[in-house]
Amino acid sequence: MLQERLIREIPELKIHGRTTACLEPLTLFWTASGFECNISGTELSVEVEVTYDTYEPWFSYTVNGDWVGRQMLPKGRYWIPLFRGMSAETIKNVQLYKDLQAMSDDGHSFIHIHALRYDGRFYPVAKKALKLEFIGDSITSGEGLFGAKQEQDWIPMFFSALRNYSYLTAKALDAEYRIFSQSGWGVHSSWDNHIKSAIPHYYKEICSLIPGAENRQIGGTIPYDFGSWQPDYVIVNLGTNDAGAFEQPGWLDEETGKWHKMHKNPDGSYADADICVFKNAVKDFLGILRQCNPKAQIIWCYGMLGIPLQMPICESLSEYAVQTGDRKVTYLQLPDTDDINVGSREHPGPLCHQQAAEVLAKYIKRLNMDK
Amino acid sequence: MLQERLIREIPELKIHGRTTACLEPLTLFWTASGFECNISGTELSVEVEVTYDTYEPWFSYTVNGDWVGRQMLPKGRYWIPLFRGMSAETIKNVQLYKDLQAMSDDGHSFIHIHALRYDGRFYPVAKKALKLEFIGDSITSGEGLFGAKQEQDWIPMFFSALRNYSYLTAKALDAEYRIFSQSGWGVHSSWDNHIKSAIPHYYKEICSLIPGAENRQIGGTIPYDFGSWQPDYVIVNLGTNDAGAFEQPGWLDEETGKWHKMHKNPDGSYADADICVFKNAVKDFLGILRQCNPKAQIIWCYGMLGIPLQMPICESLSEYAVQTGDRKVTYLQLPDTDDINVGSREHPGPLCHQQAAEVLAKYIKRLNMDK
Amino acid sequence: MLQERLIREIPELKIHGRTTACLEPLTLFWTASGFECNISGTELSVEVEVTYDTYEPWFSYTVNGDWVGRQMLPKGRYWIPLFRGMSAETIKNVQLYKDLQAMSDDGHSFIHIHALRYDGRFYPVAKKALKLEFIGDSITSGEGLFGAKQEQDWIPMFFSALRNYSYLTAKALDAEYRIFSQSGWGVHSSWDNHIKSAIPHYYKEICSLIPGAENRQIGGTIPYDFGSWQPDYVIVNLGTNDAGAFEQPGWLDEETGKWHKMHKNPDGSYADADICVFKNAVKDFLGILRQCNPKAQIIWCYGMLGIPLQMPICESLSEYAVQTGDRKVTYLQLPDTDDINVGSREHPGPLCHQQAAEVLAKYIKRLNMDK
Amino acid sequence: MLQERLIREIPELKIHGRTTACLEPLTLFWTASGFECNISGTELSVEVEVTYDTYEPWFSYTVNGDWVGRQMLPKGRYWIPLFRGMSAETIKNVQLYKDLQAMSDDGHSFIHIHALRYDGRFYPVAKKALKLEFIGDSITSGEGLFGAKQEQDWIPMFFSALRNYSYLTAKALDAEYRIFSQSGWGVHSSWDNHIKSAIPHYYKEICSLIPGAENRQIGGTIPYDFGSWQPDYVIVNLGTNDAGAFEQPGWLDEETGKWHKMHKNPDGSYADADICVFKNAVKDFLGILRQCNPKAQIIWCYGMLGIPLQMPICESLSEYAVQTGDRKVTYLQLPDTDDINVGSREHPGPLCHQQAAEVLAKYIKRLNMDK
């Protein structure tokens, strides 16, 4: 017989992704955040409450590890069927993933999960031996993983959690993972020189890059309890937008009246002073990451959209290692996008993410064996 | 500004799949049936009316040829958003596909399309130079194309139009296509010897294999107007269930009181008399196909789940060709399912369908060149 | 210490391919014929004696199953080093393969093996559980497996035993195999209507298609002792040249004064009378094969260069099966050559042979399981 | 009619690889060194003179860009047939490649080319637009590219020029290339801490790492004329053996009485002082490379056997760039060896070299476009 139960009433449910302690409802902020359950019975539905101003969220879900659905979420509070007609006795593993990133451009774009409706029983979800955190930009947000090659619109439809190298890497390693990412952002600034659109400024809170009162109210700006979930590997995939900033006009910080811009030399190379600024941002971020994740191996990945800042990144990593004695910091180059593996919006496509996941999973396996 | 328009008020819309003349609403019967439109504007929604007793339909859709969503359809009449936030000026090609086959086991499983809501303008859909019709069983219905390998439930969630070799073949050839298929059915009988569960009996009507009054009322049992859409190639992918019938108990036709069963000899080979019955069924079906499609090249495909009836099929084709002088009938073996390319429910998986589509598209290209 | 020993003095040596009882020297007639040995010691050389008028033989060899060398064989009697500098204690498996087919156009093209020079010890070669015989034309002779795509010269350099689907199939199945093949030949006639250039006429002798006194003298025309090596599977890959004969001018048999030609109807289809001739040739050959190989499963393969005669072949197989009650005869379509997998001389290239071997090995595995 | 001509009498012949000015005979020192010619006629043979004490050379050759033969070269002076029976009029491009590296362990291992025998005419070889120099260790010497996975013998049979990432990269870019490589060697020392077994010490001479009087006499120790062949890209693939030196016992330099050893800290990390020594060796080598190749883009590749020294290499590159202002120095990570792509002797196999060539060629194409 069908029954409905609130999320907080289902202790067997596993929550994925950074979120608040609140379960009435459970709010999904980040790409790939969601929930996972093991459940018997013939059917399962989820009650969501969806809000947004401009950017509607999408979600995907898997049954027994296989992707079965993906859809746009219109505004409102309503039930969505996840499966029906299945054998009552078998235990199904179901995972729901937010496909859209936390939106720094829309203070109202949220998925809230209220309840589940079902006719079976919940069972505990097995713990994974490995935990990964992915920190990145549009690449890690899965921008360009859906949509025809010619697509140029910057819309939620083209973002994906499940075609993402992060999902594929975690799957290959049988790992649990979280994503912290924002399209267009970098370590020091965004692609267009906004120095506030930098990942490190927001890393210590649950999800403080979403603007506005609503996010504050639901707890997005509360400090994140790093102790609650310590990753074995922190994978940083940043630098692509910092390189873009050298090609773009400057940005005026209206609060301070100061212009910010990364410069190139007349010969086309990057100006040393600005490279220095970038390197300091990398080193500072490494310090923050280490402080928050004392035991994690940090892997700085780069290359899915070219490697113009590879040398400064490597230098920063080694200077940080030398200065701090912290040797658990390494660099890994990922496969580049080309005519074959490109997706929509000139971003890495599904094939490029698969290639990247192979390289990354192989690398982590090797590191894991060395332990 | 958003406006709503009934399907019959949109002459630019192209309907795919066998259906009735009725557009208020448009009813989707078969796998891969749906509509296609070229439309400008920032958003598009579709109003569906969904009914079923046991087997809920699912749909998938593409934007500019790229698959973006797939979801289960609960009962009721409601709007589903297809895209939003896109550039107003660009013309988007949108195609909606029914993922579930016409259900011979559920007289109420239908998707009806009532209207579209949009803020752009419709443009004509370009005609394709090539038309394909696919006639088959569960393989052509895309059973097993979703779901983990261990899945055994026979449910709509695991059927797919878009991971289907028919879709992939049509895409490779830039062709328009229709599907006529039913899980478990064959040329002479179903896998369990039901001689009424045979594709040829229903080929001449729009969709007469759905039982019951509702289907009659909406026109599913009306003769299909073959003149309205003449395929260049008729691809038959049948025989797999006819082979299964040799392994299963007989079936009692309660109307006639007659038992039906395909027999094996003591040495495990197929009984000649029953092979003869099967061959006659194949030859009769070829006659029907030719009658309905006077100019089409008929390709009988086989092999995605083994080739036990390959010889009788080939014999039937040549006997038919010799007896009728009709030489536009050929045989093509498709790649077999194995441990690697298998999907759920022990059916060909996405990789096997890709392999089959490659072989089939290559073969049709060669035939096309010879013309 | 190095020693030389005649082939007949090495009982541990395993001979591959149809050949005579003579071991002083051992003569290699067919593609992939040669020897195999397990040997310790640091080095191994082979003494060959090579003759030819027009077409020089080539050979390839493997060490521990991995291909290490391939070279043209000039005329003369001389030593060829196979390995040196290896660890003395380890036992190496060495196999030498003739890359060139038996030459019906050169009565003097032979490789004779006289002796081995070595410093280790011979060990017995393990028996394989499975035996395969491949019967075919240029495809099975490996024509086109070496050489750039533009090559058109018909020369030994472009023939290969080791890139051949026969080698790859045998390797995938861990089987022992023999080849009986001739470029340009068919079941009824060659590509240019020579009815004496048909494989069945020569199947019962060791290697009677090589013309001239030398071949007679060394025993090529002696009846082959089928009892000495009974294959589990006979794989026939013929029909490609028989189809070619419909496109070519006729051939005058000067002995009989009779013209031979396969005809096409005005509409481009094959003339029934000639198809009948072809089918009889297929059925007759099946009879011969069964007589010589009473227990073998016969697989007729076709398709690596198109399938124009597929229907007549299938008809022949089933007519033969019905007429004789011999059910161990099946048909298997192999992957076609295309722009990607083509080799030199417009023949299937290495990729096409790999694809064919995958299909064939998968098929034999399935048949083997059914036993 | 066949004629013989000395190498120096064939001005159309193109010599590949670092060698002396002497053409009577032409000596092949390095991996992939050899000659290239465009020639008409039906046949071609080459007269070689081969010497060695321990390590016999092997060679491979291509006809019209396609690999056709590979064989071990016994001692002596003799003729080897390269092709015969080809169409007289067509112009064939033939390239002969030494498969074995210059041998620092065998002062007598040489291939000398004396003459060609042919019946056609020579034509000039077209110039390539791009020149590449590869500098490396066993990976670049192609060790492990032949031989079964279990092989452990260190013998010439397992070295290959043509399955090498250098050959594949050059082919993908239509480039001319040279190799300078030695198994077991590094930038600062060999894998076992011999500091004289370091590539930079020998870079300025033609081939001074071959010991002994014979090499001096034939000119191997003469300074190399860098002006004669300036590469557009210098690809360095070194560091793998320098990492090995941290794991091995020290080496006593008997001349100086000094021990040399790279040390690890108790926690398993590399000792800072020794890393400093390594980094200085890298920077010094970059200086040498720049001095010898003023305009070349230098790409330091690493990773085909893991990336333990990646950070020090990147640091060295950037420190060198900062200190010298030389910005044409970049780092590129290549795909790692794994269970799938491994070859013999636990070295990268053919698949790994293909993967590396794809990454490297893609990277060079991108750099080339930026120019």
Side-chain angles (χ1 to χ4, degrees), chain B residues 45-340:
Chain B
S45 298
V46 59
E47 190 190 21
V48 299
E49 184 177 353
V50 176
T51 61
Y52 64 85
D53 274 346
T54 312
Y55 298 110
E56 81 285 351
W58 288 58
F59 83 98
S60 288
Y61 70 106
T62 61
V63 173
N64 291 327
D66 201 74
W67 184 3
V68 289
R70 165 179 149 92
Q71 61 190 82
M72 189 197 294
L73 289 170
K75 283 176 197 171
R77 181 167 173 165
Y78 47 87
W79 287 91
I80 299 170
L82 297 181
F83 70 74
R84 58 180 300 285
M86 298 195 81
S87 297
E89 324 73 44
T90 60
I91 300 176
K92 275 74 71 174
N93 177 276
V94 176
Q95 268 190 274
L96 181 148
Y97 297 83
K98 187 172 186 241
D99 267 328
L100 184 64
Q101 66 175 12
M103 293 302 291
S104 60
D105 284 347
D106 186 337
H108 297 284
S109 181
F110 293 105
I111 302 176
H112 305 289
I113 309 285
H114 282 281
L116 297 178
R117 184 192 289 150
Y118 60 99
D119 60 356
R121 230 192 92 190
F122 287 98
Y123 294 84
V125 171
K127 277 198 173 182
K128 303 283 191 186
L130 202 63
K131 291 197 188 73
L132 315 176
E133 184 182 45
F134 292 86
I135 301 169
D137 48 32
S138 58
I139 297 170
T140 305
S141 288
E143 184 180 333
L145 281 170
F146 274 91
K149 289 200 182 181
Q150 74 267 30
E151 302 291 1
Q152 291 299 345
D153 290 332
W154 196 83
I155 54 174
M157 185 157 75
F158 301 146
F159 285 76
S160 166
L162 291 204
R163 288 182 170 175
N164 202 301
Y165 77 98
S166 59
Y167 172 81
L168 300 170
T169 302
K171 196 166 186 177
L173 297 167
D174 194 27
E176 191 178 306
Y177 76 109
R178 294 185 173 185
I179 284 181
F180 189 108
S181 66
Q182 195 66 199
S183 276
W185 290 28
V187 190
H188 167 66
S189 78
S190 64
W191 67 285
D192 50 0
N193 286 297
H194 288 230
I195 59 161
K196 292 182 181 167
S197 298
I199 292 287
H201 302 336
Y202 304 86
Y203 183 68
K204 290 194 175 173
E205 291 89 43
I206 289 173
C207 184
S208 54
L209 55 70
I210 299 180
E214 183 177 341
N215 188 44
R216 270 196 307 281
Q217 197 181 342
I218 63 178
T221 55
I222 293 174
Y224 175 53
D225 175 10
F226 286 94
S228 64
W229 194 87
Q230 278 282 301
D232 301 289
Y233 292 88
V234 172
I235 296 112
V236 187
N237 192 341
L238 285 171
T240 299
N241 291 301
D242 292 286
F246 285 89
E247 316 291 338
Q248 297 296 323
W251 170 76
L252 175 66
D253 184 341
E254 302 199 340
E255 281 181 38
T256 63
K258 226 175 120 181
W259 277 92
H260 295 276
K261 158 111 191 86
M262 301 301 255
H263 300 88
K264 296 172 82 172
N265 297 319
D267 70 353
S269 62
Y270 297 140
D272 283 347
D274 291 334
I275 284 295
C276 189
V277 167
F278 169 72
K279 286 176 57 178
N280 286 335
V282 171
K283 287 184 278 188
D284 290 348
F285 191 30
L286 290 171
I288 294 172
L289 290 173
R290 176 56 72 223
Q291 179 195 350
C292 299
N293 307 284
K295 297 189 171 170
Q297 175 82 33
I298 300 172
I299 304 171
W300 198 292
C301 292
Y302 189 54
M304 290 171 75
L305 281 169
I307 54 174
L309 284 175
Q310 185 186 41
M311 296 297 257
I313 290 171
C314 288
E315 289 169 53
S316 308
L317 298 183
S318 23
E319 288 168 22
Y320 166 82
V322 168
Q323 286 156 14
T324 62
D326 175 359
R327 297 287 176 186
K328 297 182 73 173
V329 175
T330 59
Y331 173 81
L332 184 75
Q333 183 184 317
L334 295 181
D336 201 358
T337 299
D338 58 29
D339 290 351
I340 305 291

Side-chain angles (χ1 to χ4, degrees), chain D residues 250-260:
Chain D
W251 170 76
L252 175 66
D253 184 342
E254 300 199 340
E255 281 182 37
T256 62
K258 226 176 121 181
W259 275 90
H260 295 277

Side-chain angles (χ1 to χ4, degrees), chain C residues 56 64 68 70 84 87 153, chain D residues 56 68 70 84 87 153:
Chain C
E56 81 286 351
N64 292 327
V68 290
R70 164 180 149 92
R84 59 179 299 284
S87 297
D153 290 332
Chain D
E56 81 287 352
V68 288
R70 163 180 151 91
R84 60 179 298 285
S87 296
D153 290 331

Side-chain angles (χ1 to χ4, degrees), chain A residues 3-11 13 15 19 22-28 34-35 44-51 73-80 82 96 110-118 122 214 218:
Chain A
Q3 55 176 308
E4 291 176 16
R5 204 174 280 187
L6 294 179
I7 292 299
R8 72 158 166 77
E9 297 168 338
I10 313 171
L13 205 79
I15 311 296
T19 189
C22 176
L23 292 178
E24 261 187 283
L26 161 68
T27 299
L28 308 184
F35 66 82
L44 176 68
S45 298
V46 59
E47 190 190 21
V48 299
E49 184 177 355
V50 176
T51 60
L73 290 170
K75 283 176 196 172
R77 181 165 172 168
Y78 47 88
W79 286 91
I80 299 172
L82 297 180
L96 181 148
F110 293 105
I111 302 175
H112 305 289
I113 309 285
H114 282 281
L116 296 179
R117 183 192 292 150
Y118 60 97
F122 287 97
E214 184 179 339
I218 63 177

Side-chain angles (χ1 to χ4, degrees), chain A residues 9 13 22 27 30 102 140 151 160 176 178-179 197 212 222 235 239 242 248 261 284 287-288 318 363:
Chain A
E9 297 168 338
L13 205 79
C22 176
T27 299
W30 299 97
T140 305
E151 302 290 1
S160 167
E176 190 178 308
R178 295 185 172 184
I179 285 181
S197 297
I222 292 174
I235 296 114
D242 292 286
Q248 297 296 323
K261 158 110 191 86
D284 289 349
I288 293 171
S318 24
Y363 180 65

Side-chain angles (χ1 to χ4, degrees), chain A residues 89-341:
Chain A
E89 325 70 44
T90 61
I91 299 175
K92 276 73 72 174
N93 178 276
V94 176
Q95 268 190 275
L96 181 148
Y97 297 82
K98 189 174 186 238
D99 266 329
L100 184 64
Q101 66 175 12
M103 293 301 293
S104 60
D105 283 349
D106 186 336
H108 297 283
S109 181
F110 293 105
I111 302 175
H112 305 289
I113 309 285
H114 282 281
L116 296 179
R117 183 192 292 150
Y118 60 97
D119 61 355
R121 230 191 93 188
F122 287 97
Y123 293 84
V125 171
K127 276 199 173 183
K128 303 282 191 186
L130 202 64
K131 290 196 188 75
L132 314 175
E133 184 181 48
F134 292 86
I135 301 169
D137 47 34
S138 58
I139 297 170
T140 305
S141 289
E143 184 179 334
L145 281 170
F146 275 91
K149 288 201 182 180
Q150 75 266 28
E151 302 290 1
Q152 292 299 345
D153 290 330
W154 195 83
I155 54 174
M157 186 158 72
F158 301 146
F159 285 75
S160 167
L162 291 204
R163 291 183 170 175
N164 202 300
Y165 77 98
S166 59
Y167 172 80
L168 300 169
T169 302
K171 195 165 185 178
L173 297 168
D174 193 28
E176 190 178 308
Y177 75 109
R178 295 185 172 184
I179 285 181
F180 189 109
S181 65
Q182 195 65 201
S183 274
W185 290 28
V187 189
H188 167 65
S189 78
S190 64
W191 67 285
D192 52 358
N193 285 296
H194 288 229
I195 58 160
K196 291 180 181 170
S197 297
I199 291 289
H201 302 337
Y202 304 86
Y203 183 69
K204 291 195 174 170
E205 291 89 43
I206 289 173
C207 184
S208 56
L209 54 69
I210 299 180
E214 184 179 339
N215 187 45
R216 269 197 308 281
Q217 198 181 341
I218 63 177
T221 55
I222 292 174
Y224 176 53
D225 175 10
F226 286 94
S228 64
W229 194 86
Q230 278 282 300
D232 300 288
Y233 292 88
V234 172
I235 296 114
V236 187
N237 191 342
L238 286 170
T240 299
N241 290 301
D242 292 286
F246 286 90
E247 316 293 336
Q248 297 296 323
W251 170 75
L252 175 65
D253 184 342
E254 299 198 341
E255 280 182 36
T256 62
K258 227 175 121 181
W259 276 91
H260 295 275
K261 158 110 191 86
M262 302 301 256
H263 299 89
K264 294 173 83 171
N265 298 319
D267 69 354
S269 62
Y270 297 140
D272 284 349
D274 290 335
I275 284 296
C276 189
V277 166
F278 169 72
K279 286 176 56 178
N280 286 335
V282 171
K283 288 184 277 188
D284 289 349
F285 190 32
L286 289 171
I288 293 171
L289 290 173
R290 177 54 71 225
Q291 179 194 348
C292 300
N293 307 284
K295 296 188 171 172
Q297 175 82 32
I298 300 172
I299 304 171
W300 197 294
C301 291
Y302 189 53
M304 290 171 73
L305 282 169
I307 53 173
L309 284 176
Q310 185 186 41
M311 295 297 258
I313 289 172
C314 288
E315 289 169 53
S316 307
L317 298 184
S318 24
E319 287 169 22
Y320 165 81
V322 168
Q323 285 156 16
T324 62
D326 175 359
R327 298 286 176 187
K328 297 182 72 173
V329 176
T330 59
Y331 174 81
L332 183 74
Q333 185 183 314
L334 295 180
D336 200 358
T337 299
D338 58 30
D339 289 350
I340 306 291
N341 66 16

